[in-house]
Amino acid sequence: MDPDATTDDGNGGESVAGARPDHLDDGHAPSDLIARLDVTDPSFIDDPYPALDALREATPIFWNPSSGQWMLTRFADIASTLRDRRVGRGFTHRYSHEEFGRPAPDPRWAAFHEHERWSLLSLEPPDHTRLRRLVSKVFTPTSIARLRGRVTAFADQRLDRCAEIAADAGSFDLLGDYAQPYSVAVICSMLGVPVEDADRLLAWSHAIVKMYELTSADATRVAANRAAEEYIAYTRELIAEKRRHPDDLLVSQLVQVTDEGDSLTEDEIVCTTMVLVEAGHEATVNTLGNGFRALMHHPDQWRRLTSGELAPGDSVEELLRYDAPLQMFERWVLDDGVEIAGQPIDVGQEVAMLFGSAQRDPRRFDDPGRFDIGRNDPSHVGFGGGIHFCIGAPLARMELAVSVDGIVRRFPDLTLAAEPEYHPTFVIRGLKELRLSP
């Protein structure tokens, strides 16, 4: 959701988000079911799937008055909308804020908006086409495959540390002791960021991504904006260092990449570097946490891995599908005459795609509420779709496969030491910690 497109909740001043479309068909909006989509309710955060299942089976699309968005619930509609060029992640390439009926960006969050300005996640063609072409030249499957040995070494180092912690305490935290330092070490190594700066990158990333929730308090936004400001300054210094002392790592390669005389500007490198850290780190960590919680709750599936029935890498797609780390993704309607799931939608309206609902759609997945690590179906929407399909998907899949393989080999008798709690967020879904006993 646009951080400035709030209603009167005090989060960003007045705006038109939430304005009820004149042609709303109330039949699409079962109010008793919409009321269950309460992202502030701890019971919903703990398990959103009963509410999402009920909404999906009641309607493919509904208007959510609290967020001011059309919400899509079914896999086919979401998959097609991700590829629909009549809707886009941004609108300023075609409309002014006034023309689009949206407020101008709130100057209080200027640094946050600056960090998004040239993000691949936010751009539309032609800027997106140009930027992705240049980034893809250094972010290739071959270059990612060359990282496997280094990624495996990072995993082994962290698993050694987890074993030491468990020997003293009887358990370790899969997130704090393994997934977070592992993931950020991979990103730092890939980018050419000093490993001693990893904690700062983690803190900045954690603060910034809270801006993507449906609701956030001003204090959260202040923290996110401050983090973005510090992150931008740090990245500019890093780019300057890479210009003076180039290496063969990603930031240096982004500085040097050219194509038919075209190259990346410093602002584009800043935004690209930041989005790779935020999107890559948060998704990997939360997939591991959510996925291993599911594995511990389904010991029969864990045994399929430890017995050798299935290769560890075969579990990755189900970990991404079953308890999605990204529950929602949005698009703006850019053209007249757009109809989605049978509902006409006006220019300037926002469409929120409920990924967590889509990944449990029985029209697409057999027995979708069943956790089956042998499903191995890569055609989910966990990495998005269309021109915004995640450029880091090969790296994420490798990180996850290496992690599952290492944990299975090192800790075959793993059990849940304590029932974990989820962070009180909806869009970015992840656990506070996951304590496991070897």
Side-chain angles (χ1 to χ4, degrees), residues 337-353:
V338 170
E339 183 176 292
I340 299 175
Q343 174 64 54
I345 304 180
D346 295 333
V347 171
Q349 292 292 329
E350 193 173 32
V351 178
M353 295 166 282

Side-chain angles (χ1 to χ4, degrees), residues 19-25 28 60-64 68-73 77 81 84 86-88 95 100 102 331-353:
R20 186 179 186 276
D22 293 336
H23 54 68
L24 177 65
D25 177 357
H28 280 121
I61 188 169
F62 64 94
W63 175 256
N64 186 344
Q69 299 166 306
W70 290 103
M71 290 193 158
L72 288 175
T73 64
D77 297 316
T81 300
D84 193 335
R86 300 172 302 169
V87 298
Y95 301 92
F100 210 60
R102 296 285 156 175
R331 293 283 195 273
W332 295 103
V333 173
L334 304 175
D335 293 333
D336 291 321
V338 170
E339 183 176 292
I340 299 175
Q343 174 64 54
I345 304 180
D346 295 333
V347 171
Q349 292 292 329
E350 193 173 32
V351 178
M353 295 166 282

Side-chain angles (χ1 to χ4, degrees), residues 103-181:
D106 191 324
R108 292 179 295 171
W109 325 129
F112 172 81
H113 291 301
E114 182 183 351
H115 116 284
E116 279 207 317
R117 174 64 183 88
W118 296 103
S119 165
L120 279 170
L121 287 176
S122 302
L123 291 174
E124 289 295 308
D127 288 330
H128 178 275
T129 306
R130 170 186 164 274
L131 185 60
R132 186 160 182 135
R133 185 185 73 249
L134 287 165
V135 173
S136 295
K137 284 184 169 295
V138 299
F139 208 86
T140 64
T142 300
S143 67
I144 299 303
R146 285 199 297 265
L147 289 171
R148 191 175 190 96
R150 197 182 309 169
V151 170
T152 301
F154 286 136
D156 288 341
Q157 290 167 11
R158 291 313 310 177
L159 291 172
D160 286 345
R161 180 59 184 146
C162 290
E164 293 171 358
I165 293 169
D168 290 335
S171 67
F172 65 90
D173 175 14
L174 182 70
L175 301 184
D177 296 328
Y178 175 76
Q180 290 179 358

